[in-house]
Amino acid sequence: MTFKDLNLSNPLWNALDDASLVHPTSIQSRAYPVVMSGRDVLGIAQTGTGKTIAFLLPLLRMWTFTKTRHPQILIIVPTRELVVQVADEAQKLTKYMNAVVKGVYGGTNLKTQAYELAEGADVLIGTPGRLLDLAYHGTLNLRAVKKLVIDEVDEMLALGFRKQLTDILELLPEKRQNLLFSATLSDEVDEMLQEHFNNPEVVEAAPPGTPVENITQSVYRVPNSNTKVNLLKALLSGQKEMSRVLVFVSTKNLADTLYERLQEAMPEQTGIIHSNKDQNYRFNAVRQFKEGNTRVLIATDIIARGIDVEDVSHVVNFDLPDQPEDYIHRIGRTGRAGKNGVAISLVSDFETELLEQIETFLGQKTEVLAVPQDVEISVVLTDSEMPEVKMKNILIKLPSGPAGAFHEKKEKNQKQNIRVSHRQKMREKYGKPKTRGQKAKKK
Ligand code: AMP
């Protein structure tokens, strides 16, 4: 099947040609007719499945020019990186149309964005907070919105954007088409659907949990986190084919520590992104990685969501994610567009259970590779790996102050925690309880 089989228009076909896009992905071919029918749609698709073009194509196909220049298509995404990425794809696809595409996100000057928006936008992409600010500011008029897309709904809810989303929904015209995209159909997502959307038709890219076939997955078993650092350094210096390596870690602190240690071993080859890094730093780190100036990019799950880097040769799970679904998101960053990818997980003794959960979720065992002999096995544990020491709660009796101290409480204000058992309280209230024998006799 090619894009020619979809009932598109010349401007869109030409734009797809220019971007060398020929064959629609599964979510693109499945979603197209359903979106074109005007129904609400819930697309279950992860990043990397081509979901962005899946919603953009039919929406742009249905778009018509109006003079008002208030957005007709509103796309809400959870992160600034995604705003930029979706806006890029929309720009590409509208190359031969006169639709104006704009992106707005927080952390940058509101006035500048308000000023730009005032000049008009047909397709607006934004993060929830900034969209609301602009709407309340009066610059953004949402009354012309005919098509709403909420991308990464699960992530949006996990990040606590529920309230902002519902506030935006209230500002939209009731008559509109809604497209929601989510990697998973969690209870939270389902609840949101029930409350605000009109029985959307579900379109799936691939059943969730299906491992991506062209990704080779393997595991190294090591005793602890410090050994992982040694192993990662050894793998990077020994395997030249690890040319563009995305390393996932679950916390910012761990990301910082790993970054420092890789910088020491291989200066200037590593970048890092997490939510404590400012916007410019993050854009720059991703750009350096995309352009091949750095070989390794260390990222936490949330920030890495949706970041699109082509040709990631290896995904390394420096630690395992708590949710098996996140494992799928992570490894899906390699092996894109029909290419082969490699996913390597470094699993310590503390993560055995997580590995088992992931394998159950995938329905398959992951191959365990032998740790190269020259890797130093560390015996030093990190703080989080240290066993918890249970301390006895020793109460120290403080000497009582001098009599009649300045702040002495009045007698009635003195709170005393006198423990009264439930049984005793009931007894005071209702008297001595009857025994079972007495009760039985009464019957
Ligand atoms: P997404 O899942 O929307 O983040 O897209 C992932 C990547 O796949 C992006 O770089 C797209 O440009 C690319 N892509 C989307 N659709 C296609 C397609 N039909 N053929 C090849 N690449 C595509």
Side-chain angles (χ1 to χ4, degrees), residues 3 21 23-25 28 47-53 89 308 336:
F3 282 110
L21 296 174
H23 304 285
T25 63
Q28 286 162 3
T47 309
T49 52
K51 66 187 166 78
T52 315
I53 292 180
E89 300 244 27
D308 179 39
R336 294 232 184 155

Side-chain angles (χ1 to χ4, degrees), residues 25-36:
T25 63
S26 73
I27 189 77
Q28 286 162 3
S29 56
R30 287 181 200 178
Y32 189 79
V34 191
V35 179
M36 288 299 285

Side-chain angles (χ1 to χ4, degrees), residues 434-443:
K434 288 196 169 74
T435 62
R436 278 194 193 157
Q438 283 169 322
K439 278 185 190 169
K441 256 186 236 160
K442 222 178 165 190
K443 274 184 194 169

